[in-house]
Amino acid sequence: MIRTLIIDDEPAIRKDLEWLMKRYPDFIVLGSCGSIAEAKVIIPNTEPDLLLLDIELSDGTGFELLQQFPERNFRIIFITAYNQHAIKAIKFGAYDYLLKPVDEEELSETLHRLKSESPVNNRLQLEVADAHKKPGLHNRIVLRSHQYLQVVSFEDILYCQSDGSYTTFHLTDKKKVTVSRPIKEYEELLPDNWFIRIHQSYIVNHHFIDRFLKDGILVLKEGSEIPVSSRKREFVRQFLTGDH
């Protein structure tokens, strides 16, 4: 059984989530509350495995609550009306990020995926949730596919390719990791001293650039040919020549 707490400042939302969660026999709702003050008491007393956590609470934010538990042993599914917090949610180790009103099919998929993950993957997610804060892990990113969590060093990423709301990471060992996050989020997460956005659908690791062709094709050292959008061509030229 996955022990679950619901933390949302809207009583109607809490009631709806409790009703929805009754449909999943592998999950048990331990309780619910609507504030940081209440949650700070309930979490240590119940030791949940999962939080269904709103971002805007009555006395602060869900992020402020999580800062009270730096060594947390629970996973987090953010449920919020605000999509602009997705990047910050990733940095706080969110398992998923669902928008209100909650789509029941989307919730079902997330809970099924969470339940089916192995204990090893669950532990890995907890260990890497705050990796961006730890010395020695500043040059890595954690990619979560439907099957596993993949820790990837920046130096192993050739380029990222967008496919709608999915992003595929092409790695130096010819492996590919596809994650259900749009490329825009990774443009903000990946550092400028490693990566540049050259197209609506592509981010490249500029350490692997070999040459820039006149017809707007960027060739990487291992042979990949990636189109540069017309509005990005002058930026790429200036970047490569040092004129920017």
Side-chain angles (χ1 to χ4, degrees), residues 162-176:
S162 172
D163 182 13
S165 60
Y166 290 85
T167 302
T168 297
F169 284 73
H170 296 256
L171 308 182
T172 55
D173 60 2
K174 301 188 183 300
K175 289 182 180 179
K176 299 178 184 179

Side-chain angles (χ1 to χ4, degrees), residues 1 6 29 33 35-36 64 72-73 101 124 136-137 140 144 156 166 187 196 200 207 218 236:
M1 297 292 288
I6 298 170
V29 176
C33 64
S35 68
I36 293 175
E64 292 171 336
R72 50 186 178 268
N73 293 315
L124 177 59
L137 292 182
R140 304 179 187 179
R144 180 168 61 79
D156 294 329
Y166 290 85
E187 182 182 13
I196 58 171
Q200 182 179 359
H207 294 89
L218 201 64
V236 171

Side-chain angles (χ1 to χ4, degrees), residues 58-238:
S58 61
D59 56 351
T61 69
F63 301 127
E64 292 171 336
L65 171 63
L66 295 177
Q67 288 172 343
Q68 305 294 317
F69 298 91
E71 302 298 328
R72 50 186 178 268
N73 293 315
F74 50 79
R75 286 160 287 175
I76 310 144
I77 296 174
F78 281 105
I79 296 180
T80 177
Y82 304 94
N83 61 11
Q84 67 266 32
H85 297 301
I87 298 298
K88 194 170 184 179
I90 292 172
K91 291 183 177 181
F92 271 84
Y95 186 85
D96 212 334
Y97 186 96
L98 307 180
L99 290 176
K100 298 178 181 177
V102 175
D103 182 273
E104 187 174 349
E105 184 176 343
E106 188 176 10
L107 175 64
S108 178
E109 178 192 355
T110 297
L111 295 178
H112 177 74
R113 180 162 25 95
L114 187 151
K115 176 62 180 177
S116 64
E117 284 190 353
S118 70
V120 171
N121 281 342
N122 293 338
R123 288 197 302 272
L124 177 59
Q125 181 171 358
L126 295 171
E127 290 168 4
V128 302
D130 294 319
H132 65 290
K133 301 178 183 177
K134 298 179 181 179
L137 292 182
H138 59 279
N139 64 337
R140 304 179 187 179
I141 190 170
V142 179
L143 306 177
R144 180 168 61 79
S145 73
H146 288 302
Q147 291 80 31
Y148 54 85
L149 288 168
Q150 179 75 52
V151 181
V152 180
S153 297
F154 296 150
E155 63 188 17
D156 294 329
I157 300 172
L158 288 170
Y159 64 96
C160 311
Q161 181 177 6
S162 172
D163 182 13
S165 60
Y166 290 85
T167 302
T168 297
F169 284 73
H170 296 256
L171 308 182
T172 55
D173 60 2
K174 301 188 183 300
K175 289 182 180 179
K176 299 178 184 179
V177 180
T178 299
V179 292
S180 56
R181 301 283 184 185
I183 199 169
K184 175 64 176 177
E185 294 188 9
Y186 291 104
E187 182 182 13
E188 298 184 33
L189 286 173
L190 294 168
D192 295 340
N193 60 328
W194 284 86
F195 299 92
I196 58 171
R197 183 81 176 265
I198 64 166
H199 190 282
Q200 182 179 359
S201 300
Y202 292 95
I203 296 172
V204 301
N205 186 333
H206 61 76
H207 294 89
F208 291 109
I209 294 175
D210 181 65
R211 60 192 182 276
F212 183 35
L213 305 181
K214 290 184 179 180
D215 59 355
I217 298 296
L218 201 64
V219 182
L220 302 188
K221 293 177 181 178
E222 45 71 61
S224 295
E225 296 185 357
I226 301 174
V228 179
S229 67
S230 57
R231 67 184 183 88
K232 286 283 191 177
R233 290 181 186 181
E234 181 59 20
F235 163 75
V236 171
R237 186 195 67 77
Q238 292 180 0

